Amino acid sequence: MSSQLAALNQWVDDVARLTQPAAIHWCDGSDAENAALVAIMQASGDLIGLNPQTHPNCHLHRSHPGDVARVEHLTFVCTSERDDAGPNNPWMAPAEAHAKMDALFAGCMRGRTMYVVPYCMGPIGSKLARCGVEITDSPYVVANMRIMTRMGAAALARIEREGSFVTGLHSIGELDPERRVIMHFPEELTIKSYGSGYGGNALLGKKCHALRIASHQARSEGWLAEHMLILGIENPKGETHYIAAAFPSACGKTNLAMLIPPEGYARDGWKVWTIGDDICWMHPGEDGRLWAINPEAGFFGVAPGTSAKTNPNALAMLDRDAIFTNVGVTADDQPWWEGLPGAPVKDWQGRDYDPAKGPAAHPNSRFTVSAKQCPSYSARAEDPQGVPISAIVFGGRRASLVPLVFEARDWTHGVLVGASMASETTAAATGAVGVVRRDPMAMKPFCGYHFADYFAHWLSFGGSGAKLPKIFHVNWFRKGADGAFLWPGFGDNLRVLEWMIGRISGEAHAVDTPIGRLPRLSDLNTEGLALSAEARESLLALDLPAWHDELESVAVYLDELGPRVPPELRRECERVAASLAAYEAVDPVDA
Ligand code: GTP
Ligand code: SPV
Ligand code: MN
């Protein structure tokens, strides 16, 4: 036995001694193993079979009603120095955190099977990929990890070869919100999660490993682990540009990653290719460009709003071999959520559907499905080298102020644009929905270290010689006086991406403003769009006094992050504020 496997076996033995499971199962990722697990879950009620004619091999899982989202206040980063976790993370001293977790885990798997899940984040043969092992007592977690990662024998073989892997220990415990906590020990490459069976709290390869632990590793190793989708845009000439975009949870990553070109674009030969919908690992290549892989193998996507109109690619992959969590069901056992035709008879809690009790599908209900089932999935997603990134896009849900799109003037300004991102909160995490908060680079819940150090790390890529991507900011969520979205969004977002590609190739026009470079409406292809007069006037307009206030609030935010904030970023903030003060208003629509 290799010393790596000896270390893994030792850890598994230690965990078994602590948690006292009735049985231990090492997962190989095979179809037979999955079938056996599904049978166990159907018998226990963990999974409910859906209509085998319309949705072969699809199942519904109903979470505990109090366990349906990430829990940011219970998610800790346990660095030995408190300051290294930053004001952006709850912190606990490692020794105290281990003691707390040991107490929770003691005997918690009595009567249960303990599953050992080796997994690889990224193509199994990629140098950029990283492995981990999750121990869990939840077969639902195993079934999801099998779809979301390269799980089983191949990952174990890589671990045996390579050595280093992230250890993740998970138990659903009693699903008691009072006994729920998720601890990260980035210095030990370790995760401990107790008391939740939900997505980002329990599928430890995803946010815990591929973002919190990986961002910490990436900083010391000179790369970036980001909450970004990756897509490829192929123009009629057959050239493909790859774009990475960071939007906060439930703000449009999956939808943009699977975009279907509007009619005219499709006819002209534009194609959109999906590489990833949630996480992006970017490494500087020898050519000075950033090369990105999607560390995941599946999608854990928001169900509500997914329809033939908004995201036909997603719908097309959800009629087989998928797990649905907390959606409603129709009379003939099809999964149902708000946005689909037809009618539910049961809601996400299994009650008879009653609109007075709320939506049929929980607003954070999800589907889990293999990326291979996505019609727009790119063969390049399996490329061990990754894809070269031409543009980085930041964006959030902002009902007002922020224009449809603008371009940062350079890398430093782009880092400020990312660092000052703000967005309305969504149902992806517990707590109030619709409250605007700062969410730098969409990483507020996921950065495994101090935000000030994170910004410095981003700035460090700006050195000369690098062929860095252009940085843009978008806002699909601007609302009009009537409260409706001003921009049609979804497929029509390609019109904005086309302008970005035009900026990269030097063909598209922009107006220089203090906040960045904006297109005029006439610089975007709006053919076939019925934009309201209000939309035409305000989507690309600058409200100078409001932007002045915004920059003041960004400065306050940077101050709140403390003295570690890089002076270069503060100076950049001051530069933008000063240029706003000096700016003579140009109407960007007419200029
Ligand atoms: P996470 O998986 O939580 O990280 O979310 P995500 O960023 O992938 O968000 P997703 O694409 O699932 O979209 C979340 C919600 O926003 C869905 O209800 C979508 O229908 C809606 N949405 C996505 N894109 C657009 C858009 O361009 N315009 C509007 N108005 N809504 C959108
Ligand atoms: C998100 O909340 O950003 C998600 C879902 O992608 S979860 O896996 O729960 O983090
Ligand atoms: Mn996400």
Side-chain angles (χ1 to χ4, degrees):
M1 190 192 303
S2 77
S3 65
Q4 306 320 330
L5 277 194
L8 174 57
N9 278 307
Q10 183 65 53
W11 174 59
V12 170
D13 285 351
D14 291 346
V15 169
R17 206 169 306 114
L18 175 66
T19 60
Q20 301 282 311
I24 301 178
H25 177 96
W26 287 70
C27 295
D28 61 15
S30 65
D31 291 344
E33 176 182 82
N34 187 56
L37 279 174
V38 168
I40 290 171
M41 287 188 276
Q42 285 199 286
S44 69
D46 263 346
L47 285 188
I48 299 164
L50 291 165
N51 186 321
Q53 268 79 48
T54 59
H55 291 76
N57 199 27
C58 287
H59 298 90
L60 167 67
H61 172 77
R62 293 193 182 116
S63 301
H64 186 284
D67 183 34
V68 294
R70 287 182 292 97
V71 283
E72 296 179 4
H73 59 298
L74 304 175
T75 302
F76 290 72
V77 169
C78 307
T79 44
S80 40
E81 296 294 326
R82 176 179 207 137
D83 234 18
D84 289 343
N88 43 305
N89 284 303
W91 175 86
M92 198 180 287
E96 186 189 345
H98 281 304
K100 184 179 165 80
M101 296 317 279
D102 283 353
L104 287 168
F105 278 110
C108 74
M109 294 189 192
R110 280 196 194 107
R112 299 179 187 172
T113 297
M114 177 176 117
Y115 299 94
V116 182
V117 184
Y119 63 86
C120 180
M121 302 308 290
I124 196 93
S126 171
K127 275 198 317 228
L128 309 182
R130 300 289 169 103
C131 290
V133 179
E134 174 167 357
I135 293 179
T136 179
D137 56 8
S138 161
Y140 166 80
V141 165
V142 177
N144 277 272
M145 286 291 284
R146 177 170 179 270
I147 297 173
M148 295 304 297
T149 73
R150 281 89 173 167
M151 181 269 259
L156 187 61
R158 181 166 166 159
I159 288 169
E160 181 172 10
R161 243 182 4 255
E162 198 171 59
S164 164
F165 60 95
V166 170
T167 58
L169 173 55
H170 169 255
S171 171
I172 55 171
E174 307 80 21
L175 293 176
D176 174 359
E178 299 298 318
R179 285 164 57 83
R180 178 172 298 159
V181 65
I182 301 136
M183 301 281 192
H184 301 74
F185 305 88
E187 294 149 357
E188 302 166 38
L189 301 184
T190 290
I191 305 153
K192 294 184 178 178
S193 168
Y194 189 88
S196 169
Y198 174 78
N201 302 331
L203 312 177
L204 301 186
K206 195 172 176 59
K207 297 311 197 329
C208 300
H209 176 166
L211 288 178
R212 296 194 194 91
I213 299 285
S215 63
H216 193 276
Q217 278 182 302
R219 181 197 171 202
S220 56
E221 296 169 3
W223 51 283
L224 292 162
E226 299 298 329
H227 189 204
M228 292 178 177
L229 68 96
I230 311 166
L231 59 69
I233 301 174
E234 186 179 329
N235 68 16
K237 286 183 257 175
E239 301 156 348
T240 304
H241 277 286
Y242 294 94
I243 295 182
F247 310 150
S249 301
C251 290
K253 289 183 301 300
T254 300
N255 279 270
L256 191 67
M258 293 171 198
L259 181 154
I260 300 254
E263 212 176 62
Y265 282 83
R267 199 185 42 232
D268 292 346
W270 290 80
K271 294 194 181 98
V272 172
W273 299 104
T274 308
I275 305 277
D277 82 327
D278 199 50
I279 302 181
C280 167
W281 286 357
M282 276 184 291
H283 292 248
E286 278 164 20
D287 61 357
R289 294 190 287 178
L290 290 178
W291 289 75
I293 61 163
N294 169 17
E296 301 192 280
F299 307 117
F300 183 62
V302 176
T306 306
S307 71
K309 188 157 169 275
T310 59
N311 193 346
N313 275 330
L315 216 56
M317 64 185 177
L318 295 179
D319 60 1
R320 68 207 141 95
D321 300 297
I323 300 172
F324 296 89
T325 300
N326 298 332
V327 301
V329 284
T330 63
D332 63 345
D333 292 329
Q334 297 192 48
W336 194 90
W337 51 80
E338 280 66 22
L340 284 182
V345 296
K346 297 274 182 211
D347 74 5
W348 63 278
Q349 298 187 57
R351 304 175 301 194
D352 290 340
Y353 173 58
D354 172 2
K357 291 185 178 146
H362 187 276
N364 192 38
S365 55
R366 300 262 168 177
F367 53 77
T368 319
V369 67
S370 166
K372 294 206 173 85
Q373 289 182 208
C374 178
S376 56
Y377 191 53
S378 165
R380 289 294 297 275
E382 305 289 338
D383 187 333
Q385 282 194 26
V387 294
I389 297 297
S390 303
I392 288 174
V393 182
F394 295 118
R397 267 180 202 269
R398 296 294 295 267
S400 60
L401 183 72
V402 182
L404 178 63
V405 60
F406 61 93
E407 175 194 329
R409 70 197 313 240
D410 57 21
W411 185 259
T412 304
H413 181 221
V415 174
L416 177 71
V417 167
S420 47
M421 254 172 76
S423 193
E424 293 162 20
T425 51
T426 65
T430 55
V433 166
V435 181
V436 176
R437 68 161 183 184
R438 295 274 160 223
D439 190 349
M441 279 92 166
M443 286 287 277
K444 167 72 186 73
F446 309 120
C447 183
Y449 61 105
H450 197 305
F451 256 155
D453 298 339
Y454 174 68
F455 301 152
H457 183 49
W458 264 84
L459 288 170
S460 74
F461 288 84
S464 58
K467 293 194 205 77
L468 291 168
K470 268 187 183 293
I471 297 181
F472 297 88
H473 191 287
V474 299
N475 179 21
W476 315 139
F477 298 96
R478 207 46 194 265
K479 285 183 178 167
D482 62 355
F485 293 116
L486 287 173
W487 176 251
F490 303 103
D492 288 310
N493 292 334
L494 184 58
R495 300 170 188 275
V496 174
L497 301 180
E498 183 193 11
W499 178 76
M500 293 178 189
I501 292 171
R503 292 297 300 162
I504 293 161
S505 62
E507 288 156 41
H509 180 267
V511 181
D512 229 331
T513 84
I515 70 157
R517 296 172 183 141
L518 274 86
R520 300 161 304 191
L521 201 53
S522 58
D523 295 320
L524 300 179
N525 174 1
T526 53
E527 203 187 306
L529 273 192
L531 290 177
S532 67
E534 188 188 14
R536 303 181 74 84
E537 254 158 52
S538 55
L539 276 173
L540 293 166
L542 276 191
D543 179 345
L544 289 172
W547 270 102
H548 179 84
D549 294 348
E550 175 77 0
L551 263 290
E552 259 180 15
S553 124
V554 170
V556 168
Y557 176 70
L558 293 180
D559 283 345
E560 282 166 6
L561 290 177
R564 289 202 194 194
V565 171
E568 197 183 347
L569 201 61
R570 288 176 192 280
R571 278 199 301 274
E572 185 63 12
C573 188
E574 285 157 20
R575 185 193 62 75
V576 176
S579 89
L580 266 169
Y583 187 62
E584 267 189 80
V586 187
D587 186 339
V589 178
D590 300 329

